[in-house]
Amino acid sequence: MNSILETKTFNLDNFHKLCEYLAGQDQDLKGILDNHGYPPMWTRENTFETLVHIILEQQVSLASALAALNKLKEKVREITPENILKLTDEEMRACYVSRQKTIYIRGLAEAITNDEINLKELSGMSNDEARKTLVSLKGIGNWTVDVYLMFTLQRTDIFPIGDLAAVNALKRLKQLPPKISREEILEVSEQWKPFRSVASMMLWHYYLSSAKKK
């Protein structure tokens, strides 16, 4: 059991084992597995397109973000920093990208083309180092970094406190007060260390599965 506690990243080989470990520690998470099965192992490639996608997902529905991403793909075929920097404000707006997010995406593209940030190098950094590097860019905050660390770098111990679906699922699962503070929610999530990312995926699975039954 000690070996599993030293796991820093999740993958196809260990994901179900990590879910089972958490279910063995928490009856509420066990209930998710019993009633809904294993959650999908949501992952994304470590590419510029992935970070663009996560930026597009900020404060909008997943469907809206995907529509914008697909529109960008139609426009440039391949979402690369070079191709994005060729687009005008009007062309970005026609792809459903807001003025603010256009600024963020261009800033990211420029940082990559100027070698200010290297996505491959991020995979070798600690969570704190990767976070410090990414939040130095305009428009990339902690929620964006949390999603990147979880889905792209597949780090095991991230709780996305800024994600409403995860937080609301946690409140429902644990029957917590509606106005519970962020600090108190983080304290609840501490019980799932060092696998808070996997617990979060179980929460999302619970949230989505419960929504389907309504």
Side-chain angles (χ1 to χ4, degrees), residues 188-207:
V188 172
S189 77
E190 291 279 314
Q191 66 186 295
W192 299 324
K193 279 188 168 186
F195 304 128
R196 287 179 294 173
S197 299
V198 180
S200 298
M201 292 193 177
M202 295 172 80
L203 290 174
W204 279 320
H205 184 46
Y206 169 66
Y207 180 86

Side-chain angles (χ1 to χ4, degrees), residues 121-133:
E121 288 178 0
L122 289 175
S123 64
M125 296 181 183
S126 69
N127 292 345
D128 288 343
E129 289 170 336
R131 187 180 300 277
K132 184 177 179 181
T133 300

Side-chain angles (χ1 to χ4, degrees), residues 3 15 28 33 36 41 46 59 61 67 76 86-88 100 112 128 145 148 153-154 165 167 183 206:
S3 61
F15 186 67
D28 293 319
L33 283 192
H36 305 294
M41 195 185 82
N46 190 14
Q59 299 180 321
S61 71
V76 299
K86 292 175 185 174
L87 297 179
T88 65
Q100 194 172 39
I112 291 174
D128 288 343
V145 177
Y148 177 79
L153 300 190
Q154 295 169 234
V167 169
E183 290 74 23
Y206 169 66

Side-chain angles (χ1 to χ4, degrees), residues 168-187:
N168 287 336
L170 173 55
K171 287 180 182 178
R172 189 187 310 162
L173 185 71
K174 296 289 185 182
Q175 298 183 321
L176 301 174
K179 293 186 178 180
I180 187 171
S181 70
R182 289 167 62 95
E183 290 74 23
E184 289 171 308
I185 290 170
L186 284 171
E187 190 175 331

